[in-house]
Amino acid sequence: MATKKFIITLFFISFLVPAIAENKNLKNDVTMVSYEQSWLDYKGTIALKNNTSDVIHDIVFQLTYLDMSGNELDYEVFEREVRIDPGKTKKLDLPAYEHSRQYHYYKTKDEFGNPAFKINFQLKDYNVEKSGVADSEDYYDTYDYDDAGSPLPRDSSYGGVLIVMLVFLLVFIGIYVGLYVLVAVMAKKRNRNVVLWVLLSLFATPLLMIIILLVIGKEENPMERRSL
């Protein structure tokens, strides 16, 4: 009989110990230390503090956005892969709230009268397995943002457009420099002062100097007249 009671006691303890270990105080275990977002920012920065004696990771929290009178404007739940050591504070980047409407956090300095908002932070859970990629910290850190503060997809063509613009710029510079070289070559073949004609191209345009050189033709007596 005593053996049976002992086995039953061990059975309940085996379930009770993990439950005690996983006991979480979602009100105080992680708290918001600060939040920053100016009206120009595409991202907001939140600082979270681990108030426990254990490492905290994979947190889920809710931000409720309020106007200056305390009325609720919106809310959003975030899930982040992050490590916060005991007693330490960690900063995380989040999509800026209402960037397109130039909202700013009320504690972030603003001198232009843009609308301000406050935040209520609520810890939902931590040390949990992530349920998706879209809300991960890496997702927002590795993507560009549009004017609304939303991350652009990975197949965005901005990189290709930048390359095309760079190639176009290099071609344009090459053509422009080539025109000055052409002016120098034409002036030399026509027994004209090369330096003078290149300088004239700087004040006017190389195209104009090329046309003039074509019109005036070759200098017949270069020894008597070297200036033009």
Side-chain angles (χ1 to χ4, degrees):
M1 188 68 178
T3 304
K4 185 177 180 181
K5 289 183 178 180
F6 179 73
I7 294 174
I8 294 175
T9 303
L10 287 178
F11 179 78
F12 279 104
I13 291 176
S14 65
F15 282 93
L16 183 61
V17 171
I20 295 175
E22 287 298 323
N23 186 29
K24 302 173 182 177
N25 185 344
L26 298 182
K27 185 176 181 180
N28 297 316
D29 285 354
V30 177
T31 54
M32 184 181 80
V33 176
S34 65
Y35 185 88
E36 299 175 5
Q37 179 191 321
S38 75
W39 65 279
L40 288 174
D41 290 338
Y42 286 92
K43 294 182 181 181
T45 301
I46 189 171
L48 302 179
K49 183 177 181 181
N50 178 359
N51 299 312
T52 72
S53 58
D54 300 315
V55 174
I56 284 180
H57 58 86
D58 300 338
I59 65 174
V60 181
F61 59 92
Q62 175 180 303
L63 294 185
T64 302
Y65 302 96
L66 312 168
D67 64 17
M68 297 307 295
S69 298
N71 300 312
E72 184 173 336
L73 299 172
D74 199 356
Y75 77 92
E76 189 168 356
V77 176
F78 298 92
E79 184 177 349
R80 289 292 185 268
E81 287 184 355
V82 63
R83 175 191 171 97
I84 310 178
D85 291 330
K88 298 295 185 179
T89 299
K90 185 73 174 179
K91 286 188 175 182
L92 303 174
D93 287 335
L94 305 175
Y97 175 70
E98 291 286 5
H99 168 78
S100 61
R101 298 172 62 186
Q102 299 179 343
Y103 269 71
H104 71 97
Y105 188 56
Y106 79 107
K107 289 186 177 181
T108 303
K109 186 176 180 181
D110 177 76
E111 301 175 348
F112 303 97
N114 293 305
F117 66 90
K118 297 181 179 181
I119 281 180
N120 276 345
F121 171 85
Q122 182 182 1
L123 181 65
K124 291 291 188 179
D125 205 352
Y126 60 86
N127 294 356
V128 295
E129 184 178 353
K130 281 187 59 59
S131 60
V133 178
D135 281 337
S136 70
E137 181 183 4
D138 292 339
Y139 176 83
Y140 287 105
D141 287 344
T142 57
Y143 278 66
D144 293 326
Y145 288 79
D146 59 19
D147 290 338
S150 301
L152 295 169
R154 287 186 182 275
D155 59 354
S156 174
S157 60
Y158 285 118
V161 172
L162 182 61
I163 293 175
V164 171
M165 292 178 63
L166 181 60
V167 172
F168 178 80
L169 179 62
L170 292 175
V171 172
F172 177 79
I173 294 175
I175 293 175
Y176 198 69
V177 173
L179 289 175
Y180 285 98
V181 174
L182 182 59
V183 169
V185 172
M186 291 180 64
K188 184 176 181 180
K189 288 185 176 181
R190 287 162 176 76
N191 298 324
R192 306 289 177 175
N193 190 313
V194 174
V195 176
L196 177 60
W197 281 94
V198 171
L199 290 176
L200 290 174
S201 299
L202 293 174
F203 289 101
T205 64
L207 288 175
L208 179 60
M209 296 302 105
I210 290 172
I211 294 173
I212 294 176
L213 285 169
L214 289 173
V215 172
I216 63 176
K218 185 176 181 180
E219 173 62 57
E220 295 182 357
N221 297 313
M223 297 304 295
E224 297 179 1
R225 184 181 180 189
R226 297 292 296 178
S227 62
L228 291 175

